[in-house]
Each structure stands twice: as C-alpha cells, then as structure tokens.
Amino acid sequence: MYNEIDLDIIDINSEPPAEEPGRQYYFMAKCRRYVKAESERLGRPLTAAVVTFGCQMNARDSEKLAGILEEIGYVRTDTEDADLVIYNTCTVRENANNKVYGRLGGLQHRKKKNPHMRIALCGCMMQEPSVVEKIRESYRFVDLIFGTHNIYKFAELLDAAGDSDSMVTDIWEEGRQIVEELPSDRKYSFKSGVNIMYGCNNFCSYCIVPYVRGRERSREPDDIIREIRRLAADGVVEIMLLGQNVNSYGKNLKDPLSFAALLEKIEQIEGIGRIRFMTSHPKDLSDELIGVMQRSEKICRHLHLPLQSGSSRILKKMNRRYDKAHYLALVDKLRAAMPDLALTTDIIVGFPGETEEDFMETMDVVRKARFDSAFTFLYSKRTGTPAAVMEEQIPQEIAKERFDRLLREVQKIAAEKSAALTGLTLPVLAEQINEQDQSLLTGRLGNNSVVHFPGTADMIGKIWDVELAECRGFYYLGRRKDGLS
Ligand code: SAH
Ligand code: SF4
Ligand code: F3S
C-alpha cells in the first residue's frame, strides 16, 4: 500500500534521484518502458511468477516484489512458464535449500526454450556466501541474485540485470535503511501481514535466521499505524503483525514503545476486526502483553509460543534463555487469564546431545501444555551456527524415531482439543471458495482453525457467525445461523 504515483510523468532520461523511495519510482518507470516495448514486440503481455519458500516474512516480502512487478507492467502468473521467475528462498533447514536447487534444474530447461526469460533469486538463502558461490559456478543461467536487506531495490536491480549479459549480484550484510512507501500486491484482499520489525538478535544456537536477516530493527509506530489505516481503507479486516520476536518490539526506537503499547494503538484503528501476531519468544512475553490481550476485543485468542525443547539442559544449549519451569508457568498464567486461548508451538527433535531423558521432558511439556497444534521439526545442522560444531550430533534414525513419537502425541492432543469446540457458534472469517466443494466457503476461527461452511463468493472477506456442527480432526464442518445449512 502506498500513495499511487504516476510513473509515466517521471523523466527517465535524467539521472536517477539519490533519495529513496523516489529512486525506486524512477527505476520502476524505466522498467515499465522496457516491459511495454517488449510486449509490443512480442504481441503479448510479459508474465512474471513469484515463488515463495519459507515463513510469513518471506510471504510478505513476496507481496512487495509482486507489487513492484505489477507497477512495472508484468502480468502475474502462477506457472513458472513465465518471462520472469523469481524465487524468494528460505534456508532455515537443509531441505529448504534442496528444494530450491531441485526446482532451479527445471527452470534451466524452460530458459532454453525461452531465451528472453529472466531468472532472479532472493531471500534468506542468498545471504549465505557459499550458496551464492555455488549458484555462480553451477547455475550460470540465473540473471539476478539479491538478499533480504535490499528487496526494496528490486526495480533498480531488474534494470541493471536487463542491461547486463552476466549475472548481477547485490547482497548486503546488514539492513542500511527501512524504505517505506513502496507498492505491494496482497495475496488476499481482506487480510495482510504487516512487518513491525526486521531481523533477530537472539542467536538461538541452532538458528541461521540472525545471520541471514541481520540485527533487530523496529519500524516507527507511526509508519506501522499509517500502513494499517491504509490497509483498512482498502478492505483489510485482519492483520498479522510480523517479527521474529515481536515481544522485543520497540526497544531500539528513538522513543521506545513496548509491543503491548503498540497493540493498544492498533486496536483503535477502525475497520480492523482481527489482530494476530507472530512470533512470541517465551523469554520476554510480558504481563503487560497478557493484560492487553485479555482486554482486547480484536486480538485473536491465539498465541504461537515456540517451545523448541522441554529439557532445561537442552534449552540452555540452545541459548533460549528460559527453562522448562518458566515455560510451564507462562502457560498456566496465559490459561488463567484467557481460558479460551489457543496455544501453538514449534518443537525441534534431535538437537545435539539430546538424550532419551531430554526427549521425555519435551513429551512431558507437550502433555502438560496441551498445545492446540505444534510444528515439529527434525534438527537440521546449519553451517555457521554454534550448534553445528557441537559434539554428539544425534543419528538420524534416533531423531526420526523420537520425531514420530512426538508427532503422534501432538496430533492426539490436537484432535482432542479441536473436538472440544464442537457445537459452539463462533466468528469465522470467510477466506475462499472450498477447493473440493463449490457450495462451501473455507474460513478461519480466531484460534486459526479451519472451518468449511455453506456460502457464496460475495461473503468472502467478512466475518460470519458459524456453528461448528462437526469436527473432522483438524477442521470443522459448520452451519450458518441465519438459515443456510
Ligand atoms: N523467530 C521464531 C522462529 C523462526 S524459525 C522463534 O524464535 O520462535 C521457525 C522455526 O524453525 C523455529 O521455531 C524452530 O523450531 C525451527 N528451526 C529453526 N532452526 C532450525 C534448525 N536448524 N533445525 C530445525 N528446526 C529449526
Ligand atoms: Fe531463530 Fe531464535 Fe531468532 Fe527465532 S528467536 S529467529 S529461533 S534465533
Ligand atoms: Fe526461512 Fe528466512 Fe523465514 S530462513 S523461515 S524465510 S526468515
């Protein structure tokens, strides 16, 4: 969302301005001229595909890339048979990287058929020098590589790649500035992610994110509020505030402001019906935040609170800065304040040195906290992180066997928890037509669970009261209260 400006009045024969975001508007105008000329030459529009790997941060970044592409005049397509394909990559676990290398092979094939095709790679994986080296050596057909700190420069980089026969690479080690007021093309018209901060300072010992996303930087509250107001005016009813550790929002601002205080400001914005946020780190989840959530009418009763391990010994080696007792006490406090709160988590199995006893501690927390759902991961060694060089890396078979036991327990509890809501009538945000049955809509409860219920396309983007008539494991079949059944 930004104040639309008329790119056609920009004089692209003059020097590009030095200031942002004006400089990017200049390059968008220049790229637009190129796209228009190419489409005329080919007698068809130029197409572009943005492929996203990884988390919500990347999903939001992709909306920004798509917004720039739209301004430039590319027509969006979901197939990779496009004139421009960009992969926004993730490197949190090894298999994320392998997926990208696998799909790049397919792109090479397509580029042979369409030599004008351009291929760009960006995102977290590109912040790793070894990856860039590998691509330079083995994937020479790639035209453009950039990282996580300079996505706002996409138009300028595309222009540079257009003028060059060789691969253009622009990777920054740190975020130099937060550039506001650039376009974005939202995936959903009625809900949107909103970055409130970038980067991470926590350095959990297994995690590569601080190395590829840089140090923690909070956006100014006024900029966040302005963005959300504009989203609301544009039909958005649900926002998801994004940060690697939202609980430490605002600490590095000129005028520090807590995350809880930011939420209170956002609550005032008219038109926004639901507020979500992600991710909360247990070490600094404050009583102030619990109070604000409890009083709020808009903040969803859902908290994603990654546990990672239930063993205090392993948590220490992970550098998480809380222990088992602290985590369980926090869960008790949250449940006492909000009995209807849905609690979800992330758990890593097979961290170096994890014994059967450590694993049983994790199972114990899972049974006590009774998570509504949990993402479970096999530990993946990330070169450059402290855990990668720890002794006692766990053999794959042992980790896998623990992982399967954990998953069974997590799923059993999750099914019990969702069954408990059967029969209640709760608000559901209608998100899309059901993929299997066109007479149904698919939507989400405040706790993030999926509900399928009878409805029509004109109901999408609004919140409806739906009776959860039947629970089918991880989703519900719902009934509308106003006659439709
Ligand atoms: N900032 C968030 C997490 C971002 S990464 C937080 O602190 O909670 C999302 C999840 O990926 C993490 O919660 C963790 O469970 C998992 N993860 C991160 N690094 C991993 C690794 N090396 N191996 C396996 N899982 C990992
Ligand atoms: Fe990674 Fe820890 Fe930062 Fe989350 S808080 S992104 S797990 S280092
Ligand atoms: Fe992956 Fe980067 Fe997100 S490494 S999980 S896309 S911050």
Side-chain angles (χ1 to χ4, degrees), residues 200-204 206-210 244-245 281 308 320:
C200 180
N201 283 353
N202 289 313
F203 290 96
C204 302
Y206 51 81
C207 183
I208 200 153
V209 171
Q244 293 299 348
N245 175 13
H281 194 302
Q308 313 300 4
R320 287 291 286 179

Side-chain angles (χ1 to χ4, degrees), residues 71-83:
E71 280 299 324
I72 290 175
Y74 279 101
V75 174
R76 276 288 291 287
T77 158
D78 287 334
T79 80
E80 290 177 35
D81 215 354
D83 297 298

